[in-house]
Amino acid sequence: MAPQYGVNVAPKPPASALADDLLPRLTSAYGAATDRARAASAAAYMRGAFPFLGIPTPERRKLSREVLTGLPAPDEADCGAVALRCWALPEREYAYFAVDYLRRYVGRCSSGFLPAVRHFVITNSWWDTVDPLAAHVVGPLVGADDGLVAVMDDWITDDNLWVARTALLHQLRSKQATDADRLFGYCLRQAAHPDFFIRKAIGWALREYAYTDSDAVYGFVASARERLSPLSVREALKHAPKEPNARKTVRRGPGS
């Protein structure tokens, strides 16, 4: 039976021989690489929200590759099982592994996997997992199934700010495939939101799309400036050229 996902439900991971093999490898490799000093520093950076093992990202990803060596590619049930088991572990690096795993294998998941992703968005939520899930998991799922656009239309007004942020950011990597009208509409629907993470996401989503169509973004910001927060405007125009006729030459640069 497929796990049941919901706000007040902690789903039981589905049976998965792959997860049974992978998780012991993962916890052994990550556990052996624990660095308590780095762990304390990472926890402090994240405002004490989560415990850490203290594994720097390059080393963690190297260990992840070693863990996955020789294992088969997962199916959708395996993806859910691996991610759910990782999410249940306290140290944040296991959630990072799950996000990377889902990002790598999202193409093996159907639109029916979106409720699982929503569970990860609303559980132990912070930008460090929500943002890559939005751009690299939710985005591809929606891009592969137009029927999920209506779900994003619901998510943008969700009471959970992380769900709304995911809707704002799910087109972050869509480039020419971006539905600009929907992006601008989402920004307007949340323009008055008081939370920093929503206001920042509005600006980020607009700035990212400006690399594809700067005139459309700058025109939208000009027309909606009185409705958007100063933070959203500042983020949207962060790399705007000073001269209007230079708009088409906007390019992503180091540190963008």
Side-chain angles (χ1 to χ4, degrees):
M1 179 180 294
Q4 300 299 306
Y5 298 94
V7 175
N8 297 315
V9 176
K12 181 179 179 181
S16 167
L18 175 56
D20 290 343
D21 194 2
L22 189 158
L23 264 294
R25 293 189 186 193
L26 179 65
T27 54
S28 176
Y30 277 21
T34 297
D35 183 322
R36 293 185 178 181
R38 287 182 179 272
S41 177
Y45 176 73
M46 297 297 285
R47 304 180 184 178
F50 313 101
F52 282 79
L53 295 169
I55 309 173
T57 297
E59 181 181 353
R60 177 178 59 78
R61 288 185 169 153
K62 178 176 181 293
L63 291 172
S64 297
R65 290 192 294 270
E66 294 172 358
V67 166
L68 294 174
T69 298
L71 293 179
D75 60 19
E76 184 172 312
D78 294 324
C79 287
V82 169
L84 282 168
R85 295 186 197 190
C86 286
W87 230 261
L89 296 171
E91 291 84 9
R92 196 61 167 170
E93 285 88 348
Y94 295 114
Y96 296 162
F97 176 89
V99 171
D100 287 346
Y101 194 75
L102 295 179
R103 178 176 176 175
R104 178 175 180 178
Y105 291 115
V106 65
R108 303 181 70 86
C109 297
S110 71
S111 56
F113 194 66
L114 190 61
V117 185
R118 189 183 193 282
H119 170 78
F120 302 130
V121 167
I122 66 175
T123 306
N124 300 331
S125 309
W126 203 241
W127 60 265
D128 57 335
T129 55
V130 170
D131 293 357
L133 286 172
H136 300 293
V137 182
V138 175
L141 288 174
V142 175
D145 184 351
D146 290 342
L148 295 182
V149 171
V151 180
M152 295 297 101
D153 289 347
D154 290 336
W155 283 22
I156 190 58
T157 56
D158 199 280
D159 290 339
N160 185 298
L161 74 89
W162 299 108
V163 175
R165 181 175 168 100
T166 298
L168 283 164
L169 298 180
H170 84 276
Q171 295 194 89
L172 209 60
R173 299 291 178 257
S174 295
K175 299 183 179 179
Q176 289 84 0
T178 299
D179 183 336
D181 289 339
R182 179 162 272 102
L183 169 62
F184 297 154
Y186 284 6
C187 291
L188 290 176
R189 290 172 80 174
Q190 289 292 358
H193 199 289
D195 192 89
F196 167 87
F197 286 105
I198 294 296
R199 293 182 171 193
K200 183 88 168 182
I202 290 171
W204 183 14
L206 292 171
R207 183 175 75 247
E208 193 68 24
Y209 185 50
Y211 295 122
T212 297
D213 191 342
S214 56
D215 281 345
V217 170
Y218 302 147
F220 168 74
V221 172
S223 67
R225 196 173 194 120
E226 296 303 314
R227 296 178 61 181
L228 297 170
S229 72
L231 173 60
S232 296
V233 171
R234 185 166 62 250
E235 287 295 317
L237 303 182
K238 189 173 182 180
H239 299 305
K242 295 180 180 179
E243 298 298 329
N245 62 6
R247 285 178 178 174
K248 289 296 185 182
T249 65
V250 175
R251 295 292 184 270
R252 190 193 314 275
S256 59

